[in-house]
């Protein structure tokens, strides 16, 4: 591999750079005042529930230090749950409980923790340990996603998710992010997660990229990742389109997880989605973006835009 | 707003800046680069006192005889005061007087000098002093010292030199200790030496002057020792015994009388500032001040009081540093802490020089970061945590200063001026990035900030650029135009060409 690509090579492949993303898309299509809609996960979730978007059900919210002591009581009805900060970033501060043993809770990695430790974690979240700048925060307790067995071969611990880039309500690119041993169970391409591009029309995976190198098998499990069909693909696309409609951001990243029982669920939204989706797809965003940008009147109907995305 | 609007603005601003620049260059004839051989120092004394309401009179010593330097120009700025200059033997005194002085009164005296080997020397001939009546136990101590010195010297020059050597000896005997104990400051020390010399009937006096540096606010008058050997005045450094006038030393006055006296007002405060300029500029500034025909040339930083000039010399380079940051972020794609943190770090480097600056910066940030992580475990609130970091940084700086001083490293002493707030903020930003985006990201951003700060420092301290910006401040419009243009750059960043390199491999395959 060469050390550097030339600008003309990248332009030929329609690759978008950060400067262009910022000035031509984010500044133009994402009004600043709408950012809180996506930066506050609790707010996003409430908005989604109100508009009938499928999200992991919310069990409870802990917003005061006083309530953190009563966490046992709050989660009494649930065997499994996830606790996470409303303003967290990069997957920090997320606690996954997948069962109970007597008075103890079992974490996803098998460790047992006491209810006091759970309360302490909630207290840390509320005191702002995981929020930007240390501002006080809220702890969300929600349904633990039951991973679709479809992904079990091609994922190493963690949560595989599907990132769809939606521009003016039309999906323009998508990828699956698979946690690897190197990424420590996180679905972040910077940290070594594997990204697989997805053909928008068919939902079939293309080749993958891990650490900027093209690969076609998962680095830890060794299973083939090319040519697999993502289940419920149309539903995933519809979900992404509707998410873009409810928040009104023109350039949006929608993160979706697949639940065994509930199907695709929206996990979070991102007003400044990264550019790695281009590497995973081995295709620049600019072609699709400019196609969508040229359309004057976009249809209101979700199905029409779904077709539009598939044709483009 | 579209690209066109931005371009029009950029072109207008650039045209304005370059137009004024060209006018100054061609029509007024300001030089593009400084003539290094014609340096001119301007020293300003700012005297302020509060008037009592009635008549007030202020007399203030001003330079008379300035060997090694010749006087180009001098200004007295004193709104309602009447001025008389009184020439004494080797001194001059400015006498300002006013009928009614109420409230704060501020007077300026400004002198411009340039290097010259033709300036006159002191010509006064002193009388031989009579031997003073020393009191015991000083009398016997002085007697012992002078006899000792006399036996080891041949003439006045070697006598004084030997005396200074003995008085400043690192292993003083008890006689010398006795004399040393009588002096608490430089002025008293000089008086003691003069007093001892009287015992040998050698005429001696203090010479007060100022060392000319590039730019200094709050400079001070320093004393030297002068003795007369029967033909001329010889100058000695009272501490080192070095003979002759130091280089770039502007002698202000001789004698140990008070520098100024005030009648009819409260105690005065005198602040000296020094700045280095170039001869052409001073000439032009002076011509303009007289003719005042060109509004544009009159609109110059050179017409400001000296302290402000020195501040603007630094301030006007800050936009250039910011331009460097913009360049690195939008064209190279380096990540930095905050937008202008690197500019602040670069400013901090000015105090320590580059290599020392980097070493100290890395050291303090590394130690601070470790302690910051420990503080994190205590779960402190944001502001108390920042305060704790600030305290730790100050402690670290004290320790480093003391250690390096013990090791005899000069540079580190200036660490005391290394802006602590910048360090504390850097540590805080770095640790937040560390937690939120991982160690690799924090290291990358830290390294990026340091690289940008280094380049910023080199650009901001570039002599030619500093001269250009200071003499032609209208170039700031060009800087503004450049930053507007950069703000509309939507092309790839250099590091993106590397990041996306995996995307062009496929094309090369058959």
């Amino acid at each position: 591999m060469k050390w550097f690509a030339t600008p003309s090579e990248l332009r030929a492949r329609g690759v978008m750079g950060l400067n262009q993303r910022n000035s031509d898309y984010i500044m133009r299509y994402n009004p600043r005042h709408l950012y809180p809609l996506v930066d506050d996960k609790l707010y996003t979730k409430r908005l989604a529930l109100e508009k009938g978007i499928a999200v992991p059900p919310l069990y409870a919210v802990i917003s005061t230090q006083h309530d953190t002591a009563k966490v046992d009581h709050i989660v009494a009805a649930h065997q499994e749950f996830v606790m996470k900060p409303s303003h967290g970033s990069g997957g920090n501060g997320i606690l996954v409980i997948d069962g109970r043993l007597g008075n103890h809770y079992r974490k996803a990695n098998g460790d047992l923790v006491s209810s006091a430790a759970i309360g302490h974690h909630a207290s840390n979240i509320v005191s702002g340990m995981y929020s930007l700048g240390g501002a006080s925060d809220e702890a969300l307790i929600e349904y633990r996603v039951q991973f679709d067995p479809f992904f079990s071969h091609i994922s190493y611990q963690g949560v595989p998710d599907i990132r769809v880039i939606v521009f003016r309500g039309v999906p323009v690119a998508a990828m699956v992010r698979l946690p690897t041993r190197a990424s420590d169970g996180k679905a972040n391409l910077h940290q070594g997660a594997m990204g697989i591009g997805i053909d928008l029309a068919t939902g079939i995976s293309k080749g993958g990229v891990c650490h900027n190198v093209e690969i076609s098998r998962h680095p830890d499990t060794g299973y083939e990742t090319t040519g697999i069909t993502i289940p419920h693909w149309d539903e995933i696309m519809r979900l992404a389109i509707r998410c873009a409609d409810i928040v009104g951001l023109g350039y949006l990243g929608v993160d979706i997880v697949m639940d065994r029982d509930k199907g695709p669920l929206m996990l979070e939204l991102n007003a400044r989605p990264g550019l790695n989706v281009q590497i995973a797809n081995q295709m620049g965003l600019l072609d699709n973006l400019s196609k969508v940008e040229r359309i004057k009147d976009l249809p209101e109907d979700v199905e029409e835009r779904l077709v539009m995305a598939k044709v483009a | 707003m579209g690209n066109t609007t931005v371009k029009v603005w950029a072109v207008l601003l650039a045209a304005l800046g370059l137009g004024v620049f060209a006018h100054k260059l061609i029509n007024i004839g300001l030089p593009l680069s400084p003539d290094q051989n014609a340096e001119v120092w301007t020293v300003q004394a700012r005297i302020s006192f509060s008037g009592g309401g009635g008549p007030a009179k202020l007399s203030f010593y001003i330079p008379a005889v300035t060997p090694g330097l010749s006087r180009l120009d001098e200004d007295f700025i004193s709104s309602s005061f009447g001025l008389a200059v009184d020439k004494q033997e080797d001194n001059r005194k400015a006498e300002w007087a006013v009928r009614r002085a109420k409230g704060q009164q501020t007077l300026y005296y400004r002198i411009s000098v340039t290097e010259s080997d033709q300036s006159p020397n002191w010509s006064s001939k002193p009388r031989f002093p009579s031997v003073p009546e020393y009191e015991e136990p000083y009398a016997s101590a002085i007697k012992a010292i002078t006899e000792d010195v006399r036996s080891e010297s041949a003439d006045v020059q070697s006598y004084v030199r030997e005396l200074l050597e003995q008085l400043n000896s690192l292993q003083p005997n008890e006689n010398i200790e006795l004399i040393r104990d009588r002096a608490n400051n430089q002025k008293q020390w000089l008086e003691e030496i003069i007093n001892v010399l009287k015992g040998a009937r050698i005429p001696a006096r203090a010479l007060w002057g100022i060392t000319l540096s590039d730019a200094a606010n709050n400079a001070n008058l320093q004393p030297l020792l002068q003795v007369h050997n029967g033909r001329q005045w010889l100058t000695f450094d009272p501490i080192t015994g070095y003979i002759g006038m130091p280089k770039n030393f502007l002698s202000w006055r001789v004698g140990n009388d008070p520098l100024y006296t005030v009648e009819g007002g409260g105690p005065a405060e005198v602040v000296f500032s020094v700045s280095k300029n170039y001869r052409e500029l001073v000439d032009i500034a002076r011509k303009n001040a007289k003719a005042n025909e060109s509004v544009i040339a009159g609109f110059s930083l050179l017409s400001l009081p000296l302290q402000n000039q020195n501040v603007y010399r630094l301030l006007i380079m800050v936009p250039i540093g910011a331009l460097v940051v913009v360049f690195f972020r939008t064209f190279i794609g380096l990540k930095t802490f905050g937008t202008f943190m690197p500019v602040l770090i670069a400013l901090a480097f000015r105090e320590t020089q580059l290599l020392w600056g980097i070493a100290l910066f890395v050291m303090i940030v590394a130690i601070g970061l470790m302690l910051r992580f420990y503080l994190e475990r205590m779960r402190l609130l944001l502001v108390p945590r920042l305060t704790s970091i600030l305290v730790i940084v100050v402690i670290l700086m004290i320790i480093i200063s003391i250690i390096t001083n013990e090791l005899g490293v000069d540079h580190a002493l200036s660490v005391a001026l290394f802006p602590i707030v910048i360090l504390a903020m850097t540590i805080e930003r770095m640790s937040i990035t560390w937690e939120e985006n991982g160690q690799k990201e924090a290291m990358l951003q830290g390294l990026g900030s340091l690289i940008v700060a280094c380049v910023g420092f080199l650009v901001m301290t570039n002599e030619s650029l500093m001269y250009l910006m200071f003499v032609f401040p209208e170039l700031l419009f060009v800087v503004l135009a450049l930053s507007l243009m950069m703000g509309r750059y939507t092309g790839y960043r250099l590091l993106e060409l590397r990041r996306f390199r995996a995307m062009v491999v496929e094309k090369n395959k058959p």
Side-chain angles (χ1 to χ4, degrees):
Chain A
M1 201 189 306
K2 285 195 300 181
W3 275 74
F4 288 101
T6 64
S8 57
E9 280 172 328
L10 290 185
R11 217 171 291 128
R13 317 209 102 229
V15 175
M16 178 163 74
L18 275 173
N19 289 333
Q20 191 170 11
R21 182 201 72 174
N22 291 346
S23 78
D24 290 354
Y25 294 94
I26 292 187
M27 285 199 311
R28 196 169 296 172
Y29 293 100
N30 288 359
R32 190 95 213 171
H33 71 270
L34 293 178
Y35 280 25
L37 291 185
V38 296
D39 289 342
D40 182 338
K41 292 193 184 89
L42 179 59
Y43 197 100
T44 313
K45 190 177 279 275
R46 287 198 170 134
L47 189 66
L49 287 168
E50 193 183 306
K51 304 280 179 180
I53 302 239
V55 289
L58 181 66
Y59 294 159
V61 178
I62 298 178
S63 48
T64 61
Q65 287 292 349
H66 179 251
D67 284 349
T68 61
K70 299 191 293 188
V71 72
D72 245 349
H73 178 72
I74 292 170
V75 299
H78 309 286
Q79 279 290 316
E80 301 174 285
F81 59 90
V82 174
M83 185 189 287
K84 61 180 180 188
S86 180
H87 284 94
S89 65
N92 289 318
I94 298 180
L95 177 71
V96 181
I97 297 297
D98 68 357
R100 297 199 191 200
L101 221 67
N103 286 331
H104 285 73
Y105 296 83
R106 193 177 64 225
K107 292 210 291 187
N109 62 6
D111 291 351
L112 289 179
V113 291
S114 65
S115 65
I118 305 261
H120 185 61
H121 188 78
S123 162
N124 279 345
I125 291 177
V126 171
S127 73
M129 197 163 172
Y130 303 102
S131 70
L132 281 168
S136 63
D137 201 0
E138 288 161 312
L140 271 53
I141 295 174
E142 62 177 33
Y143 170 76
R144 176 183 174 242
V145 174
Q146 305 294 316
F147 298 118
D148 196 307
F150 176 78
F151 284 112
S152 59
H153 293 320
I154 51 170
S155 173
Y156 181 86
Q157 290 184 349
V159 192
D161 71 0
I162 298 158
R163 157 70 59 92
V164 184
I165 306 286
V166 186
F167 178 52
R168 297 177 71 203
V170 180
V172 288
M175 67 170 161
V176 175
R177 297 185 294 188
L178 302 172
T180 60
R181 187 195 301 267
S183 76
D184 193 24
K186 286 175 184 162
N188 190 336
L189 259 57
H190 276 302
Q191 291 166 344
M194 182 180 181
I196 308 171
I198 301 179
D199 182 61
L200 288 180
T202 58
I204 294 173
S205 68
K206 308 179 199 170
V209 171
C210 189
H211 276 306
N212 232 339
V213 178
E214 253 187 286
I215 49 171
S216 60
R217 290 174 184 279
H218 191 274
D220 302 313
T221 68
Y223 279 91
E224 181 75 40
T225 56
T226 315
I228 51 178
T229 311
I230 309 290
H232 313 295
W233 182 243
D234 283 2
E235 213 178 314
I236 291 172
M237 296 268 273
R238 268 185 217 112
L239 186 62
I241 295 171
R242 289 175 58 213
C243 285
D245 289 349
I246 62 161
V247 292
L249 289 166
Y251 186 78
L252 184 72
V254 182
D255 292 351
I256 292 167
V257 283
M258 295 290 288
D259 188 76
R260 189 179 59 204
D261 309 320
K262 299 177 192 281
L265 303 175
M266 184 268 282
L267 205 57
E268 62 178 81
L269 302 174
N270 196 324
R272 313 166 197 80
L275 300 175
N276 280 321
V277 66
Q278 303 182 106
I279 303 175
N281 276 293
Q282 289 292 300
M283 191 180 80
L285 278 166
L286 285 177
D287 289 349
N288 280 348
L289 287 174
S290 50
K291 266 183 214 160
V292 174
E293 199 162 29
R294 274 197 296 272
I295 302 170
K296 277 219 178 78
D297 299 303
L298 283 159
E300 293 263 321
D301 186 47
V302 172
E303 293 303 320
E304 278 180 56
R305 276 181 282 160
L306 175 62
V307 173
M308 206 176 263
K310 289 190 162 195
V311 175
Chain B
M1 271 194 279
N3 252 337
T4 335
T5 329
V6 178
K7 275 182 190 151
V8 168
W9 269 111
V11 169
L12 282 179
L13 287 166
L16 173 66
L18 291 173
V20 176
F21 174 69
H23 170 72
K24 278 173 142 181
L25 206 61
I26 299 161
N27 297 347
I28 304 181
L30 289 163
L32 249 187
S33 61
D35 178 0
Q36 302 287 350
N37 296 324
E39 289 171 344
V40 173
W41 281 278
T42 307
V43 181
Q44 173 189 280
R46 177 179 178 276
I47 310 135
S48 48
F49 68 97
S50 54
K57 201 169 127 190
L58 174 93
S59 70
F60 177 70
Y61 278 108
I62 55 175
V65 183
T66 56
L69 295 165
S70 75
R71 195 159 75 213
L72 290 177
D73 194 14
E74 86 187 322
D75 276 314
F76 300 82
I77 302 159
S78 46
S79 49
S80 56
F81 285 74
L83 170 76
V85 176
D86 175 23
K87 177 103 178 71
Q88 299 167 339
E89 209 166 32
D90 278 338
N91 276 329
R92 283 194 310 156
K93 248 183 183 177
E95 311 260 5
W96 277 290
V98 73
R99 181 64 59 188
R100 297 175 72 83
K102 195 157 190 222
Q104 188 71 15
Q105 308 290 321
T106 306
L107 304 162
Y108 289 92
Y109 169 75
R110 206 183 285 176
I111 182 170
S112 298
V113 293
T114 189
E115 248 178 283
S116 153
D117 44 15
Q118 282 158 16
S119 50
N121 229 312
W122 292 274
S123 55
S124 64
K125 282 222 161 44
R127 277 174 299 171
F128 290 105
S130 50
V131 180
E133 300 273 329
Y134 302 116
E135 23 175 310
E136 287 296 344
Y138 302 105
S140 37
I142 290 171
K143 195 161 175 252
I145 294 167
T146 47
E147 271 169 15
D148 195 18
V149 170
R150 191 184 303 275
S151 68
E152 287 178 36
S153 62
D155 54 6
V156 171
Q157 183 172 328
S158 55
Y159 183 90
V160 176
R161 179 146 204 170
E162 180 61 30
L163 177 74
L164 288 175
E165 210 161 275
Q166 291 221 4
L167 287 176
N168 291 301
S169 157
L170 287 175
Q171 289 100 27
N173 59 34
E174 57 207 28
N175 291 331
I176 290 166
E177 291 269 23
L178 198 65
I179 294 173
R180 277 196 197 175
D181 286 347
R182 278 160 62 111
N184 292 322
N185 56 35
Q186 278 182 309
K187 187 177 176 182
Q188 288 174 5
W189 179 234
L190 212 60
E191 273 167 5
E192 283 308 314
I193 297 172
I194 293 167
N195 204 28
V196 172
L197 284 168
K198 272 184 192 163
R201 303 206 67 201
I202 297 174
R205 66 184 184 188
L207 165 67
W208 292 83
I210 206 161
T211 304
L212 303 172
S213 55
D214 282 9
N217 287 337
N218 298 318
N220 274 318
L221 291 184
Q222 301 290 331
L224 294 177
L225 174 71
Q226 287 201 314
V227 294
H228 201 267
N229 66 356
R231 292 181 305 280
Q232 57 173 333
W233 287 100
L234 302 172
T235 308
F236 292 85
D237 186 306
I239 309 290
T240 61
Y242 174 88
I243 305 177
M245 291 284 288
K247 197 172 156 49
N248 294 339
F249 185 83
L250 171 65
S251 41
W252 199 269
R253 56 148 182 156
V254 295
N256 257 348
D257 298 342
L259 178 62
Y260 56 83
T261 52
V262 185
E263 286 169 37
E269 190 195 17
V270 181
V271 179
F272 291 96
S273 322
V274 182
S275 87
K276 187 170 81 172
N277 257 317
Y278 299 96
R279 177 134 194 188
E280 298 93 329
L281 297 179
V282 176
D283 288 348
I284 288 153
R286 196 167 39 180
K287 269 184 229 146
N288 282 338
K290 281 185 187 130
N292 211 4
E293 55 194 19
S294 165
V295 181
I296 290 171
F299 194 78
S300 160
L301 288 171
L302 287 158
S303 58
L304 291 174
L306 271 193
Q307 299 109 313
N308 300 11
Q309 280 192 31
N310 289 343
V311 171
Y312 275 108
R313 252 169 236 279
L314 179 62
L315 215 56
I316 207 160
M317 296 310 285
V318 171
I320 306 283
L323 209 60
V324 170
V325 177
V326 173
F327 176 81
F328 270 91
R329 286 174 67 106
T330 52
F331 289 90
I332 310 285
L334 272 189
K335 290 179 181 171
T336 58
F337 293 126
T339 318
F340 295 117
M341 192 77 95
V343 180
L344 298 178
I345 299 172
L347 283 178
F349 283 164
R350 286 175 54 96
E351 310 281 357
T352 52
Q353 292 313 304
L354 195 56
L355 286 179
W356 255 107
I358 295 172
L360 287 169
F361 181 81
V362 171
M363 193 153 60
I364 295 181
V365 168
I367 300 174
L369 207 56
M370 282 191 272
L371 295 170
R372 162 69 172 73
F373 280 116
Y374 189 71
L375 287 180
E376 183 67 40
R377 304 229 306 253
M378 300 182 193
R379 276 183 232 108
L380 303 179
L381 292 173
L382 180 70
V383 177
R385 190 176 62 202
L386 251 174
T387 310
S388 316
I389 295 169
L390 200 71
V391 174
I392 289 171
V393 167
V394 173
I395 294 172
L396 284 177
M397 281 171 45
I398 293 172
I399 293 172
I400 288 175
S401 280
I402 291 173
I403 290 175
T404 46
N405 190 39
E406 290 290 314
L407 295 174
V409 188
D410 275 356
H411 278 298
L413 287 176
S414 49
V415 76
L417 300 168
F418 206 94
I420 32 170
V421 179
I422 295 169
L423 279 166
M425 296 284 284
T426 309
I427 291 168
E428 178 68 16
R429 290 295 279 269
M430 191 155 178
S431 61
I432 287 179
T433 312
W434 194 299
E435 265 155 39
E436 282 169 4
N437 303 315
Q439 175 192 0
K440 196 179 152 198
E441 184 71 16
M443 288 295 182
L444 274 178
Q445 290 195 16
L447 193 67
S449 304
L450 207 54
I451 292 173
V452 176
C454 289
V455 177
F457 168 82
L458 293 176
V459 173
M460 283 163 76
T461 52
N462 181 293
E463 281 271 345
S464 319
L465 206 57
M466 283 174 81
Y467 167 87
L468 215 57
M469 290 307 294
F470 187 73
V471 179
F472 305 100
E474 60 276 8
L475 290 177
L476 282 179
F477 287 117
V478 181
V479 172
L480 184 58
L482 278 176
S483 63
L484 288 184
M485 288 308 288
M486 282 181 176
R488 293 300 296 186
Y489 173 75
T490 56
Y492 300 113
R493 301 173 180 180
L494 183 64
L495 291 178
E496 282 175 345
L497 298 181
R498 180 162 168 73
R499 178 182 172 193
F500 293 120
R501 71 196 189 283
M503 299 193 56
V504 296
V505 192
E506 210 184 34
K507 212 166 101 180
N508 301 337
K509 284 183 187 167

